[in-house]
Amino acid sequence: MALAKDEDHNNGEKGPCSHFLVVAYGIQGHLNPARTLARRLASIGGCTVTLSLPISGHRRMFPSNENSHEEVSDGAISYIPFSDGKDDGSWPKDVEDRTQRREANFKSLSAVVKSLAASGQPVTCMVCTLSMPVVVQVAREHRLRLAVYWIQPATALATYYHYFHGHEELITQHATTPTYEVTLPGLHPLRIRDMPTFFTEKTHNEVSKMILQALHELFEQMDQEKPMVLVNTFDALEDAELKAIQPYVDVFVVGPAIPPLTALQRRNASEAQIHLFKQDEKNYMEWLNAQQEKSVVYLSFGSLITYTKRQVEEILHGLQSCRQPYLWVVRGEGRAEEADFHLGEANRGKGMVVEWCDQLQVLSHRSVRCFVTHCGWNSTLEAIASGVPMVAVPCWSDQPMNAHLVEQEWGVGVRAERDAEGVLTREELVSCLEFLMGDSEKAAQIRANANNLKERAQEAVAPDGPMERNLRRFIKRMQDLGSMHQENESVNIFNLIQ
Ligand code: UDP
């Protein structure tokens, strides 16, 4: 199946020997940066690129495609699914389930590599997003070059690295003291509460245990294979942290994985994201157009976090007390049914509730004033690139670390505290919003910092800017490695003949 040809793609020119197979999880937070990277490898590097997601994610990307195994092309890159052993989008229940799925996962991804070779487009390099050790295994099996795409901040990369290289015991010993400070090599001190939640949840949460195990395996593989690591960040954001990790990991800084604002404002169709959720039918862009400049509070907790009835109630009352217009994303599948009454209420008056929106379009709209966010790394980068100050309400994984960076390192937002039940209360929401939108010197400084970082982010993705240069350098290195690889192969054959 072929989608509309991409107008911005560079005349179909391909590099001499590169076919990248980029493999990602079938969730929105992995798809977005993986697809942006894939399209950049094609448009900036002139490479052939295939993006591979589990079948469940592929189906959601292309719902009109009846044959869910079929290859799809958008004129710039191709999409081929693989089976993760279950195909229904469910996460493994426990470590045993994960191990069972792993075998099927390995076979299916290997089959994708073989079928591409059989069709005359052999893969030369594989790229895996974050914790996908099976991709490393497939690359090893097929003797393919490999890169890891780190889709969290460089601070998280450095923190995980040191956790698995000598600091696990110290962190585990203080797991129950959230304010305990740990200083990892080259990094600013981090409190336990600012670290990835998996470190402290590994003993009582099966999902955290599994994810931490997968990451551990990935770091072990990285120690052996020494792959290049692409990081979705930019120098102005994490200069010191990038320097801190460089002695240990071969890093290429290729972020932020966000189109330039000019493309968003032009509503350039080729830059549009592929959404795994159906866009809400309400015309929220028209609604935003009707709002005053810098007046709207945008609130979204991403694609995975769910709402309890109490959480909906608290946010509703908080937003209503602020008296500002608000746009609030609550996914249909992400809320308790009993919350519907309050959501009906939230849709009246100054507010609009949608099940899903095009977040990049929303954040770059002139009427948006601030973003109440769970601090997923994509949402954080998108807010930074749009210059929108944040109320950070982290929940799990790298989100507390991102919230810490937002508030303490970059000064582009304020962190809200959840209560003992993990709920963001109405009082806390109001207090953070009033502070962020208020006239204090500190709030003005946050707005100035947000504008400054927006400029830096735009510079990073400008034509021939650092992101493009680093990506070209990365492709060149991959190609050079390929030539060396071929030379070694011919030497081996020569030895055999002799
Ligand atoms: N997103 C969107 N529309 C929405 C909510 C989220 O397009 O209504 C996108 C958002 O732009 C971001 C991704 O979904 O790129 C969520 O990724 P993130 O890392 O922020 O959080 P996750 O969903 O992985 O927790």
Side-chain angles (χ1 to χ4, degrees):
M1 181 172 118
L3 299 179
K5 181 97 180 128
D6 181 353
E7 288 163 21
D8 283 1
H9 187 49
N10 70 341
N11 306 325
E13 275 178 50
K14 304 292 175 202
C17 63
S18 295
H19 178 179
F20 284 87
L21 177 62
V22 180
V23 187
Y25 274 119
I27 52 177
Q28 195 75 50
H30 284 223
L31 166 64
N32 288 357
R35 181 167 173 267
T36 303
L37 174 72
R39 289 170 60 88
R40 283 177 179 168
L41 286 167
S43 65
I44 298 166
C47 307
T48 302
V49 189
T50 304
L51 178 59
S52 196
L53 257 70
I55 287 173
S56 56
H58 188 84
R59 278 191 199 127
R60 290 181 76 157
M61 271 202 290
F62 306 112
S64 59
N65 186 11
E66 277 164 27
N67 184 351
S68 58
H69 288 75
E70 199 186 323
E71 178 176 345
V72 178
S73 165
D74 66 7
I77 63 170
S78 301
Y79 304 80
I80 301 182
F82 67 95
S83 171
D84 63 3
K86 203 66 187 241
D87 302 342
D88 61 358
S90 63
W91 292 49
K93 284 193 298 294
D94 47 32
V95 173
E96 198 185 323
D97 191 16
R98 180 177 152 245
T99 316
Q100 277 168 6
R101 290 184 185 200
R102 174 80 170 258
E103 186 64 27
N105 205 330
F106 174 78
K107 280 193 187 140
S108 181
L109 255 183
S110 282
V112 170
V113 172
K114 284 182 200 151
S115 76
L116 284 167
S119 69
Q121 293 204 305
V123 174
T124 52
C125 323
M126 288 186 84
V127 179
C128 73
T129 51
L130 217 62
S131 56
M132 299 193 81
V134 70
V135 181
V136 184
Q137 223 184 324
V138 173
R140 202 182 275 159
E141 173 82 9
H142 294 270
R143 310 195 62 204
L144 296 171
R145 283 155 273 156
L146 172 83
V148 171
Y149 184 25
W150 189 263
I151 53 172
Q152 291 185 355
T155 310
L157 173 62
T159 304
Y160 277 113
Y161 181 88
H162 292 298
Y163 177 81
F164 294 124
H165 293 84
H167 288 79
E168 177 173 355
E169 202 180 317
L170 174 73
I171 292 169
T172 307
Q173 270 170 5
H174 296 91
T176 52
T177 317
T179 52
Y180 183 82
E181 268 189 2
V182 181
T183 306
L184 299 171
L187 297 185
H188 295 129
L190 282 169
R191 292 168 301 178
I192 293 287
R193 75 191 294 255
D194 304 325
M195 295 201 167
T197 54
F198 308 134
F199 295 169
T200 50
E201 291 170 353
K202 63 180 177 181
T203 47
H204 56 273
N205 181 316
E206 204 55 42
V207 173
S208 295
K209 195 162 132 189
M210 255 181 338
I211 297 177
L212 199 59
Q213 265 191 11
L215 281 162
H216 190 187
E217 195 179 338
L218 180 73
F219 276 85
E220 277 178 352
Q221 289 168 328
M222 281 165 58
D223 286 345
Q224 290 156 16
E225 314 270 331
K226 307 261 180 266
M228 289 175 244
V229 179
L230 305 166
V231 188
N232 183 17
T233 188
F234 56 104
D235 285 311
L237 207 54
E238 296 192 276
D239 190 37
E241 293 76 8
L242 284 161
K243 287 199 175 97
I245 191 63
Q246 267 152 5
Y248 312 99
V249 177
D250 192 5
V251 160
F252 289 76
V253 187
V254 296
I258 294 165
L261 276 186
T262 43
L264 288 172
Q265 278 148 2
R266 274 190 280 124
R267 301 264 198 117
N268 184 336
S270 69
E271 297 286 3
Q273 308 274 26
I274 291 186
H275 295 276
L276 300 180
F277 300 85
K278 200 167 155 281
Q279 294 274 340
D280 202 286
E281 279 164 13
K282 294 190 203 85
N283 197 337
Y284 56 86
M285 288 310 285
E286 206 166 275
W287 181 85
L288 283 175
N289 288 340
Q291 307 304 320
Q292 283 179 2
E293 181 134 356
K294 295 214 182 301
S295 63
V296 173
V297 175
Y298 170 59
L299 194 152
S300 168
F301 290 164
S303 64
L304 299 171
I305 292 175
T306 55
Y307 285 89
T308 59
K309 175 171 176 274
R310 184 169 162 243
Q311 182 61 92
V312 167
E313 210 172 337
E314 291 300 310
I315 290 180
L316 167 67
H317 290 293
L319 288 173
Q320 285 181 337
S321 314
C322 279
R323 299 177 191 280
Q324 292 293 124
Y326 58 85
L327 178 66
W328 180 11
V329 179
V330 186
R331 284 175 296 110
E333 60 188 65
R335 64 187 191 228
E337 258 177 45
E338 318 86 77
D340 283 359
F341 168 75
H342 297 292
L343 288 171
E345 185 115 320
N347 248 323
R348 281 193 279 275
K350 284 185 163 227
M352 180 178 266
V353 180
V354 290
E355 295 213 354
W356 189 258
C357 67
D358 189 323
Q359 181 164 296
L360 275 169
Q361 294 288 353
V362 168
L363 284 172
S364 56
H365 195 279
R366 55 160 187 81
S367 72
V368 171
R369 173 134 186 195
C370 65
F371 180 17
V372 183
T373 171
H374 69 311
C375 273
W377 185 235
N378 296 292
S379 295
T380 306
L381 279 181
E382 288 161 12
I384 287 172
S386 312
V388 177
M390 288 168 259
V391 174
V393 195
C395 181
W396 74 314
S397 184
D398 58 330
Q399 294 158 15
M401 171 173 279
N402 305 340
H404 162 79
L405 296 170
V406 161
E407 187 185 49
Q408 300 294 329
E409 297 289 331
W410 308 321
V412 292
V414 57
R415 181 176 178 159
E417 298 299 333
R418 292 174 183 270
D419 71 4
E421 275 179 45
V423 168
L424 168 67
T425 63
R426 62 190 79 184
E427 294 81 12
E428 180 69 1
L429 178 57
V430 171
S431 139
C432 290
L433 283 173
E434 282 180 349
F435 164 74
L436 203 59
M437 297 192 288
D439 297 328
S440 70
E441 218 173 282
K442 215 171 154 197
Q445 187 59 54
I446 288 177
R447 289 192 284 273
N449 293 344
N451 278 330
N452 176 39
L453 270 189
K454 170 183 168 179
E455 304 279 314
R456 305 284 83 77
Q458 295 306 315
E459 282 164 15
V461 292
D464 210 30
M467 178 276 290
E468 286 199 3
R469 290 198 301 272
N470 289 339
L471 206 59
R472 283 198 204 101
R473 206 164 50 84
F474 161 72
I475 294 167
K476 171 88 175 46
R477 277 270 297 278
M478 274 293 190
Q479 288 171 345
D480 290 349
L481 276 175
S483 321
M484 274 168 52
H485 187 74
Q486 275 166 3
E487 271 168 32
N488 286 345
E489 295 270 281
S490 28
V491 169
N492 288 343
I493 292 168
F494 184 68
N495 286 345
L496 281 177
I497 296 169
Q498 282 202 325

